[in-house]
Amino acid sequence: MGIVAGLDSSPDSTRIVVCDADTGSVLRTGVAPHPLPEGGARTSDVDPQAWLLSLGEAAGGGLLEGVQAIGVSAQQNALIPLDTQGNTVRPALVGGDKRAQVAAADLIDALGGREAWAHAVGCVPQAAQPVTKLRWLSRSEPDNARRAAVLMQAHDWLVWQLLGRPVRRTTDRGGASGTGYWSPAAGTYRPDLVELALGHQAMLPEVIGPAEAAGTTPEGLLISAGTGSTMAAALGLGLGVGDAVVSLGASGSVMAVHPEALQDPSGMITSLADATGMHLPVVTTLNAVRTLRGAAELLGVGDLEGLSELAMKSTPGAHGLVLLPYLEGERTPSLPHTAGTLAGLRRESMKPEHFARAAFEGMLCGLADALDVLRGRGVEVRRVFLLGPAAELPAVQAAAPALFGAQVVVVQPADYGAIGAARQAAWALGVSQGTLDARTPPVWQGAVAQVLDPGAELAVGQAVRQQFVSVREQTHPGAFRV
């Protein structure tokens, strides 16, 4: 079919990959940071023009020469309110905006509680979500709220700009599912929730199908639907039913591919749609790599590689030491005001290597709890893709398969969001040319990866896992129910 491009606009930069449309082979890449605002520090208020400037720089030097279609992936939860002329009412509200925490609680109460929200849109409002930012806007900047006539997210806005700001504005079901005013189960917007949050109705982008094109530029370049960064990464990794992803950042997240939208009144599961017609239930933990960094500081180890090396001198179970890693409170289970717990101290276990091992096992068991939330709702988990720099640590790779009870896939670092966007572009291009089915994305070569099986360590790992569960139940009885 030729060549296609995918661009991923993250909070910090734009990355572009140019790929062979048939195989997915990456032919060229470009990257550029977003220009810093005045003052030199990134904030929760961002002029979206910075994203266009970054895009232009990343695409410089003829990077897009010969490209027939472009897909756009962008940071999720960005809210861009526009006036009736299509101009921004105020800078975009991005990220986990702490200013909106009170607004989230207000919205939960206004609709009748967590269960009502879970039933309506598959998630309970959080500070980061656009619906919550709308509530904050209506309470804190009422003049701007009244001027907000059109609501867009980052990838919607970028697609619209690339197409020359047409009358038609589009989004995809993946991006729409993160707004808090679109139902993945019903596949429709909830305009009443926009009004509940903002105080009046606003125009929302049309949700088009996964393989549909948003439009064509005057130069004949096809622009696909675009999607959020999470959904693009799932498409770039080639995930299917039975696959889960564990992301190891300061906090952790677990998501899996599932045929149906899940409703979870507890709020532990956020039900997102993916970029192919399936669903992506997500469970988040507050404590992942921050647990390891804290352990490294306590032990006086210089970096995580050193902590891993120390942990490998211990054995599974850390000589009875169990760390409940709830250092920042915890979301899964819901223990927002608790602290971490170290149990099982005995004279023989009071060695640095055992504490280091307990930190790794505690972090991974916390993520295994999140996996069990999904399994408890019927989500199949056969393979776990492990993402993030910490996935390369030997102590993580040694313990994860047996603790997760599944095959673990450690993929080689790559721009999976941009690759997923390019794959979407190839899909839309193929459908427009009549060479691909609108129900099935193109088959691209898989990510380069190391595959780790639990093997003979499974029984030992599950014993360590049970040890963790016992301490958790003794310390926080009834806090966690799958």
Side-chain angles (χ1 to χ4, degrees):
M1 289 191 295
I3 60 175
V4 294
L7 70 88
D8 179 46
S9 181
S10 74
D12 300 319
S13 63
T14 299
R15 293 181 176 274
I16 301 177
V17 297
V18 175
C19 300
D20 181 284
D22 294 307
T23 67
S25 295
V26 176
L27 307 176
R28 303 189 291 272
T29 63
V31 61
H34 297 325
L36 288 171
E38 265 185 64
R42 302 197 189 279
T43 69
S44 296
D45 293 328
V46 176
D47 182 351
Q49 292 295 328
W51 306 333
L52 284 180
L53 291 171
S54 172
L55 193 166
E57 186 179 343
L63 184 76
L64 299 180
E65 186 177 341
V67 165
Q68 295 170 270
I70 294 178
V72 177
S73 159
Q75 59 179 303
Q76 289 158 235
N77 296 322
L79 174 69
I80 308 166
L82 306 177
D83 63 19
T84 54
Q85 303 302 311
N87 300 313
T88 52
V89 166
R90 69 176 316 282
L93 291 155
V94 301
D97 197 329
K98 291 183 178 180
R99 295 174 297 184
Q101 287 175 342
V102 172
D106 286 347
L107 278 178
I108 292 170
D109 291 341
L111 194 64
R114 303 171 73 85
E115 190 167 353
W117 278 98
H119 180 74
V121 290
C123 62
V124 178
Q126 302 158 25
Q129 286 181 298
V131 70
T132 307
K133 290 169 179 170
L134 286 178
R135 182 72 158 197
W136 177 86
L137 192 66
S138 71
R139 295 291 188 265
S140 303
E141 300 178 0
D143 290 343
N144 285 335
R146 280 190 289 272
R147 292 174 55 216
V150 181
L151 305 178
M152 303 190 82
Q153 294 187 86
H155 91 261
D156 311 339
W157 187 84
L158 285 166
V159 165
W160 185 56
Q161 296 290 330
L162 288 173
L163 290 172
R165 295 163 57 107
V167 172
R168 183 193 189 210
R169 298 175 178 90
T170 63
T171 189
D172 89 309
R173 56 194 295 279
S177 68
T179 60
Y181 43 81
W182 187 86
S183 167
T188 56
Y189 280 118
R190 289 288 302 266
D192 57 314
L193 299 183
V194 173
E195 187 166 357
L196 178 69
L198 185 60
H200 62 84
Q201 294 289 345
M203 185 177 294
L204 303 171
E206 175 189 349
V207 181
I208 62 176
E212 285 187 65
T216 305
T217 68
E219 299 77 26
L221 192 64
L222 183 144
I223 308 295
S224 63
T227 195
S229 56
T230 296
M231 300 80 189
L235 189 58
L237 286 166
L239 302 184
V241 172
D243 290 333
V245 173
V246 171
S247 295
L248 298 175
S251 55
S253 68
V254 175
M255 73 176 181
V257 179
H258 194 57
E260 302 171 353
L262 297 179
Q263 294 176 355
D264 176 34
S266 74
M268 283 193 292
I269 298 174
T270 297
S271 189
L272 300 175
D274 79 346
T276 71
M278 300 290 278
H279 294 269
L280 289 173
V282 180
V283 180
T284 302
T285 68
L286 295 181
N287 299 281
V289 174
R290 62 165 43 100
T291 303
L292 304 183
R293 297 203 183 282
E297 289 171 11
L298 182 64
L299 295 173
V301 179
D303 52 30
L304 296 188
E305 288 74 16
L307 186 71
S308 173
E309 185 178 344
L310 189 60
M312 293 297 285
K313 295 177 181 177
S314 181
T315 53
H319 275 242
L321 279 189
V322 176
L323 176 64
L324 301 184
Y326 307 149
L327 309 182
E328 300 283 336
E330 189 47 83
R331 182 175 166 187
T332 308
S334 181
L335 297 167
H337 306 299
T338 194
T341 301
L342 183 64
L345 278 172
R346 298 180 185 277
R347 178 64 190 88
E348 61 270 19
S349 66
M350 296 176 71
K351 293 183 179 179
E353 60 265 30
H354 301 323
F355 181 76
R357 180 84 188 199
F360 279 96
E361 290 178 346
M363 175 190 74
L364 292 171
C365 283
L367 291 161
D369 279 350
L371 276 170
D372 282 350
V373 171
L374 297 179
R375 286 173 167 139
R377 295 297 305 276
V379 176
E380 183 182 3
V381 178
R382 292 194 308 269
R383 295 192 300 175
V384 175
F385 286 72
L386 207 53
L387 302 184
E392 301 287 338
L393 297 173
V396 169
Q397 296 186 8
L403 293 177
F404 292 162
Q407 187 180 77
V408 167
V409 181
V410 182
V411 296
Q412 183 174 300
D415 296 323
Y416 292 109
I419 291 169
R423 190 179 178 204
Q424 186 194 66
W427 192 7
L429 179 65
V431 169
S432 73
Q433 295 174 340
T435 58
L436 288 178
D437 190 321
R439 295 167 297 182
T440 310
V443 178
W444 277 12
Q445 58 195 19
V448 178
Q450 180 182 7
V451 179
L452 308 169
D453 285 297
E457 297 297 316
L458 179 60
V460 173
Q462 292 304 293
V464 173
R465 176 99 175 84
Q466 188 53 52
Q467 180 177 261
F468 178 91
V469 170
S470 297
V471 172
R472 188 194 66 217
E473 284 302 304
Q474 289 166 12
T475 310
H476 304 287
F480 189 87
R481 290 286 180 265
V482 178

